[in-house]
Amino acid sequence: MRQSLCAILLLMGALLLAGCGADQAVKKGDRFFALGEYYDASVQYKKAYSQTPAKERTLRGQRAMKMAECYRRLNYTQRAIAAYNNAIRYRQQDSLTYLYLGQQLMKNGNYKDAARTFQTALDSALANHLSADIVRLVRTGLRSAQQAPGWKQQGSAYTVRRENFFNSRRADYSPMLAGDQFDQLYFTSTRNQAQGDELSGITGTKNADIFYAQKDEKGKWQKPQTIESGLNSEQDEGACSFTPDGRTMYLTQCLTDPDYPRFATIATSGRSDAAWGKPTELKLSRDTLSSYAHPAVSPDGEWLYFTSDMPGGLGGLDLWRARLTSSGVGAVENLGPAINTPGDEEFPTFRPNGDLYFSSNGHEGMGGLDIYIAKPDTTQRSGWRIEHPGYPLNSQGDDFGMTFEGRLNRGYFASNRGDGKGWDHIYSFENPEIVQTVKGWVYEQEAYELPQAVVRMVGNDGTNLKLSVRGDGSFTQEIKPGVDYVLMASCKGFLNHQEQLRVEPVTESTEYVLQFPLASITAPVLIDNIFYDFDRATLRPESTVALDELVELLKENPNVTIELSAHCDYKGSAEYNKRLAQRRAEAVVAYLIEKGIEKERLSPVGYGKEKPKTIRRKLTEQYPFLKEGDILTEEFVLKLKPEEQEICNQLNRRTEFIVLRTTYGLFDQQGHLKNPPKPRPIVEEQEQPVGDELF
């Protein structure tokens, strides 16, 4: 009898202790959950659930619900489904349980079960008069479950491949191509090489860092590397985007605070000497209780797009944008109901043609976050036309974070499809559509690229664009078949240069390459490939190509006058060389006049050997024995090796021009502008320029 009584007392004590332990675990879990640390919260809730007796049905149901909410946020889909089903079994479901369970079943590819669950959720929502936003999400889920099998069977032109070379055993996501040749890939990862030793209470893994991979000279990707600068810290960094010139990075940061929830913020990092600096927070508003994440810079560099749960949205996370100006960030604006839904819209990114790609769980999709394309469309009231690119770009899992290899419809994205732990991995994609592009290079003649230049492109289809030039002096723009384009490059301190392009229909993607060498207004400009008969001033026929280019340049810049000069090497008498040089300069001027250039704009001068060439830095790359600033005088040349002397003599034998004035023909005899600008009429609404008005 005494033994039985002791056993009962011990059992009651164990149950009492277990109950106390479970209660303590729930309290700890609640604290973690309030801070957004869902992994740590799930551990505590699971502990409490396992210590709760089966007969305590209400408590087990409540704790199952808490577990489900954590697992849903952690992308532990299978565990979330089981936990929601347990909550329902113990009759502890709430008004959103069937909605969330349906969404988890979609992510698991159980479309039939998802459809039945969404129908139950819809009946319940209508019976209990839930909000219109909830009803909309349920109806969207039901339609998605009904349509997803058909989308998967139908497929699309996309091909998708998991790129394990970039992936680790943890999460890898938000890839972003960079570099003038798209030979760098930045991405976010929680792999073991991330900084810091502690594991995140949110994910149970390390806090994320930004990593990058680089292609070698043969175009092969090298092993991903950490970024050894102040960019990363022991806290979360990721989901980056770059300005068109590649000099500024926008990224997401999550700062740790042990007492408050962690709100994501957007920060900027500048590049100096090929290294990224420590990020600085970008203030988008005075609201400090909202998250700001996933920055994306528009192709023209004028807008910053991002995701936020700030007040004024349409529910969940919305896409917003703010104008980027020289004085800072302008006011933020919501992208509106065509894009945003009562669900979550995240990870905006741009294709260079202006199409906005984003991910959402509030539009009809295949499960989780699906990728959508928002194309600018003036015929739509919202200004956008939304497209779902189908399977296999989208899947039952989360699909997000697109990045493109230039104008081509190929690149990389992230997805957690098929991963039991819900971790994201990097995939490549390609859609073999025919894309025609023009690539141009803007540079100073005899010198380097001009990234500060601007290119205007107009077409007879109404195109009128201002194109940004990258750091290497290049630009790329998509073009259309059957259209005639005119492109003009301009830069302060240089003459304009114009090229024309006729785009013909093609059967495969084609890139046209144009050169825009800009002539300096302040430095002598070499006219390359000008040839004369030996010891005479007669122009040889092969000179016409270069001379015709000079004719076009002068026609494109009709207010410019130039001094056209000819030079010789030191051989021969100074008087003879000067007379020969003068005749040669006059021969070039005569050719230009014959081609329609006004005589008053041209001043022929023969310098002979009076002005030996001064070496500019670009030439030192071709001739390493020369240094920038060397002057090829007779004394300098005679100190060189015989083969080097001949090179210098060739450089001295040249024809070049220098700009004298840029105001020819602008003023009348009284000094007044011939065509002064007309005052702009005052109207209520500014009329937009028509497409065939050039620059």
Side-chain angles (χ1 to χ4, degrees), residues 649-681:
N649 288 333
Q650 291 176 4
L651 293 174
N652 270 330
R653 296 191 296 267
R654 68 199 190 276
T655 303
E656 61 188 19
F657 72 86
I658 188 169
V659 174
L660 299 177
R661 287 196 298 144
T662 58
T663 58
Y664 174 81
L666 290 179
F667 301 95
D668 58 23
Q669 293 182 349
Q670 287 74 38
H672 300 133
L673 277 174
K674 289 183 178 180
N675 297 298
K678 297 179 181 180
R680 187 182 299 273

Side-chain angles (χ1 to χ4, degrees), residues 250 282 297 300-304 322-331:
Y250 289 82
L282 182 70
V297 182
D300 58 12
E302 295 184 359
W303 293 92
L304 178 69
R323 185 176 289 278
L324 298 173
T325 68
S326 57
S327 58
V329 180

Side-chain angles (χ1 to χ4, degrees), residues 51-64:
Q51 293 179 353
T52 304
K55 65 180 181 179
E56 299 287 345
R57 297 179 60 85
T58 300
L59 278 178
R60 282 181 70 86
Q62 292 171 351
R63 290 164 184 175

Side-chain angles (χ1 to χ4, degrees), residues 95-138:
S95 59
L96 299 179
T97 299
Y98 286 105
L99 168 62
Y100 291 150
L101 176 57
Q103 292 173 340
Q104 296 302 301
L105 290 168
M106 289 285 294
K107 293 186 70 171
N108 207 41
N110 299 341
Y111 294 127
K112 288 185 178 179
D113 291 343
R116 286 194 293 267
T117 303
F118 281 126
Q119 186 61 60
T120 301
L122 180 60
D123 295 340
S124 175
L126 295 175
N128 292 286
H129 306 288
L130 297 186
S131 70
D133 285 348
I134 298 299
V135 173
R136 179 181 171 185
L137 285 175
V138 173

Side-chain angles (χ1 to χ4, degrees), residues 226-443:
T226 58
I227 297 178
E228 302 295 339
S229 70
L231 180 67
N232 291 312
S233 69
E234 294 185 0
Q235 303 178 63
D236 267 315
E237 289 88 18
C240 63
S241 176
F242 302 95
T243 52
D245 61 11
R247 297 174 184 172
T248 302
M249 175 193 294
Y250 289 82
L251 65 148
T252 305
Q253 275 192 316
C254 290
L255 305 180
T256 300
D257 190 318
D259 299 319
Y260 294 95
R262 302 202 310 176
F263 295 104
T265 60
I266 293 175
T268 62
S269 172
R271 188 165 193 162
S272 176
D273 297 328
W276 292 103
K278 184 178 180 180
T280 302
E281 183 180 349
L282 182 70
K283 293 289 186 182
L284 291 168
S285 78
R286 296 180 181 179
D287 179 4
T288 60
L289 297 178
S290 298
S291 290
Y292 305 87
H294 311 159
V297 182
S298 61
D300 58 12
E302 295 184 359
W303 293 92
L304 178 69
Y305 287 68
F306 59 94
T307 187
S308 177
D309 58 357
M310 63 191 299
L314 301 181
L317 295 169
D318 274 13
L319 295 189
W320 303 72
R321 72 174 186 173
R323 185 176 289 278
L324 298 173
T325 68
S326 57
S327 58
V329 180
V332 300
E333 58 184 61
N334 190 281
L335 294 193
I339 291 176
N340 292 314
T341 70
D344 293 330
E345 281 67 47
E346 306 178 68
F347 298 99
T349 189
F350 280 93
R351 190 175 173 186
N353 66 0
D355 290 348
L356 171 64
Y357 286 67
F358 67 97
S359 293
S360 172
N361 60 15
H363 292 273
E364 294 175 18
M366 299 187 67
L369 292 172
D370 269 24
I371 294 169
Y372 298 85
I373 309 171
K375 296 189 175 186
D377 188 347
T378 56
T379 65
Q380 301 292 322
R381 184 176 180 181
S382 65
W384 300 98
R385 185 176 76 255
I386 310 300
E387 296 181 3
H388 184 274
Y391 178 85
L393 187 65
N394 286 311
S395 69
Q396 64 198 43
D398 291 325
D399 307 293
F400 61 96
M402 303 280 284
T403 185
F404 293 87
E405 186 181 330
R407 297 277 167 176
L408 300 177
N409 197 355
R410 71 182 182 207
Y412 300 92
F413 72 108
S415 177
N416 59 20
R417 62 185 69 183
D419 189 284
K421 295 183 179 180
W423 286 340
D424 308 306
H425 303 288
I426 294 173
Y427 288 74
S428 63
F429 73 91
E430 182 172 8
N431 186 337
E433 63 186 24
I434 297 175
V435 179
Q436 295 196 73
T437 58
V438 57
K439 184 169 188 176
W441 302 87
V442 187
Y443 54 93

Side-chain angles (χ1 to χ4, degrees), residues 65 208 299 309 330 378 380 408 474 513 580 588 612 677:
M65 179 64 76
D309 58 357
T378 56
Q380 301 292 322
L408 300 177
S474 70
V513 178
L580 177 61
V588 173

